[in-house]
Amino acid sequence: MINPLAHNFWKSTNGPYEEIVYSLLINTNSHIFAGTYRSGVFRSTPYGTYWVQTSLGNKHVTSLVVSPTKYVFAGTSEKGVFRSIDNGVSWTQTSFYNHSVNSLACNSKGYLFAGTKGNGVYYSKNDGSTWINTSLEDCVTDALLIDHNENIFAGTEYGLYYSANDGNSWEKRNNGLKNTDINALYQDENGILYLGTYGDGLYYSQNHGNSWENIYSEEINKNIWAITGKNEKIFIGTDGGVFYSSDNYLTWKKVNSGLGNTHVYCLRINNEGYIYAGTFGWGVF
């Protein structure tokens, strides 16, 4: 399999067929999980060569995360959070079952955070057995990020919120943002934060989100759904495909060759540098 980080083109993984893929996860065994719009969670062997639908089917899966205890968690629309301890073979619904979950994140202590569609952020300290609502309420939370210092960032339709104490208190960090509809968050190896919006492109912050600068580029599609990176390269998934920068976000290149659909909702990179893209109706590349 060719590495797109070096060769700038894509290859289909042949699955999940004709699915809208909203979330991707790569675990410590390099197995790939794909959360889909209508068919739940699929799992693949390393490199995406063979996909199977897991027992969590017929669900709209919006987000995936793995905990330090190796639980795989899936956030769903209207059905809350599910978990699997056996690599996705079987799933159990957690006690958080009556919410639409748009985003998930887990810190090194195993605390699991769930961003909801209209009810703010909740967290669990015991692998999803019980849940507590944080003080961030009444907002749609489409993106969650645990930074290098274990602080929490929540991207909402009202902008960015920051918490240094497990969500017990939050402060808004919107200075410099012209658009507060946030879809994606990412922190690179150097600690720079990136923020993707719907309609106003990409922003960055070099001071922990205290202020933001817009990354203006005529090349970049302004509807950004995903951000990831490796070895000082930054990739973004947009309604116009995938773009990347290798010079500290100064210039950007479109890398869509071989990509069957240019609506890219999620991106993940494995330890070897293979990048995976979840698309609208064409599965994973």
Side-chain angles (χ1 to χ4, degrees):
M1 197 173 196
I2 301 300
N3 185 346
L5 287 173
H7 295 277
N8 296 341
F9 68 87
W10 298 88
K11 180 179 179 181
S12 173
T13 65
N14 299 314
Y17 288 111
E18 297 181 358
E19 291 290 347
I20 301 171
V21 179
Y22 278 129
S23 54
L24 287 169
L25 169 69
I26 301 173
N27 68 8
T28 55
N29 297 322
S30 295
H31 291 122
I32 307 167
F33 293 79
T36 67
Y37 172 70
R38 59 189 176 188
S39 302
V41 176
F42 289 76
R43 187 189 67 225
S44 172
T45 54
Y47 311 115
T49 53
Y50 177 71
W51 291 89
V52 295
Q53 187 177 20
T54 72
S55 60
L56 186 61
N58 302 315
K59 298 288 189 298
H60 177 179
V61 176
T62 59
S63 47
L64 293 163
V65 75
V66 63
S67 73
T69 53
K70 297 185 179 180
Y71 276 102
V72 177
F73 292 92
T76 69
S77 177
E78 300 182 352
K79 302 297 182 181
V81 177
F82 291 77
R83 71 183 181 188
S84 173
I85 192 57
D86 53 11
N87 209 36
V89 175
S90 61
W91 296 84
T92 302
Q93 190 168 37
T94 71
S95 61
F96 197 65
Y97 58 87
N98 57 347
H99 291 283
S100 287
V101 176
N102 286 9
S103 52
L104 290 172
C106 192
N107 67 17
S108 63
K109 296 181 289 187
Y111 291 6
L112 178 67
F113 295 86
T116 67
K117 186 179 180 180
N119 298 108
V121 177
Y122 287 70
Y123 75 97
S124 172
K125 295 183 178 181
N126 50 16
D127 290 320
S129 295
T130 58
W131 294 81
I132 301 169
N133 59 319
T134 73
S135 60
L136 185 59
E137 301 177 335
D138 301 326
C139 60
V140 177
T141 306
D142 286 328
L144 287 170
L145 171 70
I146 309 295
D147 75 4
H148 299 335
N149 297 316
E150 300 284 293
N151 302 309
I152 312 162
F153 289 89
T156 77
E157 85 270 41
Y158 303 125
L160 185 71
Y161 291 84
Y162 163 86
S163 175
N165 51 15
D166 296 333
N168 292 314
S169 63
W170 298 83
E171 59 184 71
K172 189 177 287 188
R173 294 199 169 180
N174 283 352
N175 185 27
L177 294 181
K178 296 179 181 179
N179 185 319
T180 59
D181 190 358
I182 299 170
N183 291 332
L185 294 167
Y186 174 72
Q187 185 178 37
D188 70 12
E189 296 99 325
N190 299 316
I192 298 174
L193 293 171
Y194 296 85
L195 178 156
T197 68
Y198 185 82
D200 197 31
L202 189 67
Y203 287 78
Y204 76 97
S205 172
Q206 294 180 307
N207 56 11
H208 309 293
N210 286 298
S211 62
W212 294 90
E213 296 286 340
N214 185 247
I215 298 174
Y216 177 78
S217 172
E218 293 183 355
E219 295 293 327
I220 299 176
N221 184 280
K222 302 305 180 185
N223 297 335
I224 296 176
W225 302 104
I227 313 170
T228 192
K230 192 177 182 70
N231 298 331
E232 299 188 352
K233 287 187 177 182
I234 302 297
F235 292 80
I236 57 173
T238 76
D239 279 342
V242 179
F243 300 79
Y244 88 95
S245 174
S246 58
D247 58 1
N248 295 319
Y249 51 77
L250 295 176
T251 60
W252 293 84
K253 296 180 180 180
K254 185 185 293 186
V255 281
N256 285 351
S257 180
L259 199 61
N261 187 286
T262 57
H263 293 280
V264 175
Y265 292 140
C266 48
L267 294 167
R268 285 290 182 271
I269 300 177
N270 71 8
N271 290 331
E272 298 176 63
Y274 292 97
I275 183 168
Y276 297 87
T279 67
F280 183 88
W282 283 64
V284 178
F285 288 76

